[in-house]
Amino acid sequence: MPITLVNPGGLPRIDAYRQVSVATGSKLVFVAGQVAWDADGVAVGEGDLAAQVEQCYLNVGTALAEVGASFDDVAKLTVHVVDWTPDKMPLLMEGIARAAAKLGVTPTPPATLLGVAALDVPEHLVEVEATAVCG
């Protein structure tokens, strides 16, 4: 596998992600920020953060699969959440867990969570982008 995930000693262990990824592959894959749209561009989970997170992760998985990659190849995720507050963490984690179960993976690459004022359209609550490295 071209990605090795590491939790270095001296840094806190976070269950949802690893602190560092080491990439040894040669093909870089940059997945645009994915929002809660289905394949037809129809909004999924309006007003439901967990449902939107799930759809975003499923969309990232679809994008990766199209180019022969998977979440095992992801070196970094960035998650943008509208009006983020820490009390939304259980919904975020629920959406990730549901997508992970459907995809058959445990997506734990290094991740950055950013609170934002708004996304492209008012009904989108979350956007997930990924960088992957394949062999």
Side-chain angles (χ1 to χ4, degrees):
M1 246 185 291
I3 301 294
T4 302
L5 302 177
V6 180
N7 267 328
L11 294 177
R13 285 192 172 274
I14 310 294
D15 290 335
Y17 63 89
R18 303 299 175 260
Q19 296 283 5
V20 176
S21 66
V22 178
T24 57
S26 58
K27 179 171 79 171
L28 295 176
V29 179
F30 300 94
V31 178
Q34 296 298 302
V35 294
W37 279 332
D38 66 12
D40 296 319
V42 175
V44 173
E46 191 166 340
D48 183 343
L49 181 60
Q52 288 199 19
V53 169
E54 177 183 5
Q55 187 65 46
C56 290
Y57 272 73
L58 293 174
N59 289 350
V60 168
T62 297
L64 291 168
E66 180 66 23
V67 296
S70 73
F71 268 97
D72 289 337
D73 301 308
V74 174
K76 177 78 167 67
L77 289 171
T78 303
V79 180
H80 302 85
V81 181
V82 173
D83 296 327
W84 174 258
T85 54
D87 63 309
K88 294 180 180 178
M89 185 61 81
L91 293 172
L92 179 78
M93 298 308 294
E94 178 186 335
I96 293 170
R98 291 185 339 210
K102 287 181 179 177
L103 294 166
V105 300
T106 304
T108 58
T112 299
L113 173 62
L114 300 169
V116 297
L119 292 169
D120 59 333
V121 295
E123 57 269 14
H124 289 153
L125 304 175
V126 64
E127 183 171 319
V128 179
E129 63 183 76
T131 301
V133 180
C134 305

